[in-house]
Amino acid sequence: MSKMRKPLFWGLVSLLVILIGFAIYLLITPPQTEDHAVPYRNDEQPGPSGFSWKEYPDVGIKFLIPDNWYLDEAMVGTEEYYISKISWEESEIFTTGLAIVVNREDLFPDITGRAFIESRVAGAHPEEILYQAVERRGKATIRYLEILVEDDWFEATDIRRHKHVYYMCVARPDKHISFNVRFESPAAQWNEEWQKGKVMLDTLQLYND
């Protein structure tokens, strides 16, 4: 009789071990959430009405995000941050919002900024260049360019084909880093979208020391 009970006993022990292991797994495993984009919200750093702050101290950038807009990050050799009106899940094409590209270990950041602006101006008609300037601010050199652009990616009847873009290239030779920043929207919607864009650019902080 004792020989019959031993297999039963060890079977119960094995089952108990499995149940205990499963319980521990449930306790230490975080709940899985559905992977989908949600409008950005950061209650810890409230900004002006209708905006909230986002900061990346290691990069030295801090910017405002409009309520119900979206923040996406892309690390593809450079560090890229996109604050867009429409999530990339809805549209994989960035059409309205602020983009910040960080170039670390840039040995010649001033040359990088100048070359970037010149490449955007090349081939443009004079009437398409709305504003262009260079400013020295502390240790930074800032280049500005406001321009109208035709995007061949879109059909001629698509409102997104004609874009209004405001570029700001910031060079910090002392930090060996440069930033290529732009706010863009369809030209037909610029006056409305620029109300948020101007606030975002005016308050943007890039190594402000």
Side-chain angles (χ1 to χ4, degrees):
M1 194 70 176
S2 62
K3 291 182 178 180
M4 294 292 293
R5 289 177 179 172
K6 285 184 178 179
L8 178 60
F9 171 77
W10 289 114
L12 290 174
V13 170
S14 299
L15 178 60
L16 182 61
V17 170
I18 293 173
L19 291 175
I20 293 174
F22 183 68
I24 294 173
Y25 171 80
L26 292 178
L27 289 174
I28 66 175
T29 303
Q32 299 299 310
T33 57
E34 184 181 357
D35 184 16
H36 63 281
V38 295
Y40 179 80
R41 185 176 178 82
N42 184 354
D43 293 325
E44 295 181 1
Q45 296 188 67
S49 177
F51 295 84
S52 59
W53 284 104
K54 178 62 177 178
E55 184 175 11
Y56 293 88
D58 61 318
V59 187
I61 63 176
K62 184 177 181 180
F63 50 81
L64 286 172
I65 301 178
D67 291 348
N68 299 316
W69 282 37
Y70 297 82
L71 171 63
D72 290 283
E73 302 175 15
M75 304 301 170
V76 287
T78 56
E79 300 170 37
E80 303 178 12
Y81 305 90
Y82 297 91
I83 303 95
S84 53
K85 186 175 183 179
I86 301 175
S87 75
W88 282 32
E89 286 188 357
E90 296 180 40
S91 173
E92 295 182 357
I93 303 174
F94 182 79
T95 57
T96 300
L98 182 72
I100 304 171
V101 179
V102 183
N103 302 298
R104 291 180 184 261
E105 304 302 327
D106 190 340
L107 297 179
F108 306 101
D110 193 51
I111 295 176
T112 299
R114 184 169 63 249
F116 181 86
I117 293 296
E118 289 176 352
S119 69
R120 296 304 183 271
V121 171
H125 297 293
E127 64 273 14
E128 295 173 334
I129 301 173
L130 306 177
Y131 176 73
Q132 187 173 3
V134 180
E135 175 188 7
R136 301 285 192 274
R137 188 186 302 171
K139 299 176 182 178
T141 300
I142 308 173
R143 287 179 165 79
Y144 304 93
L145 174 65
E146 186 176 359
I147 191 170
L148 300 176
V149 179
E150 186 172 354
D151 192 338
D152 294 337
W153 178 268
F154 300 103
E155 298 291 336
T157 55
D158 194 318
I159 192 175
R160 296 171 295 178
R161 183 179 179 92
H162 299 280
K163 299 193 300 183
H164 194 141
V165 187
Y166 193 103
Y167 291 101
M168 184 173 72
C169 294
V170 181
R172 284 295 302 266
D174 60 312
K175 299 287 187 179
H176 296 294
I177 193 169
S178 62
F179 305 88
N180 291 338
V181 182
R182 76 178 188 274
F183 183 88
E184 67 177 73
S185 84
Q189 300 171 346
W190 178 259
N191 290 338
E192 176 185 355
E193 304 299 353
W194 180 238
Q195 295 180 32
K196 290 186 173 66
K198 188 175 189 305
V199 173
M200 296 165 77
L201 284 175
D202 286 347
T203 57
L204 177 63
Q205 299 179 28
L206 304 172
Y207 271 122
N208 288 346
D209 58 357

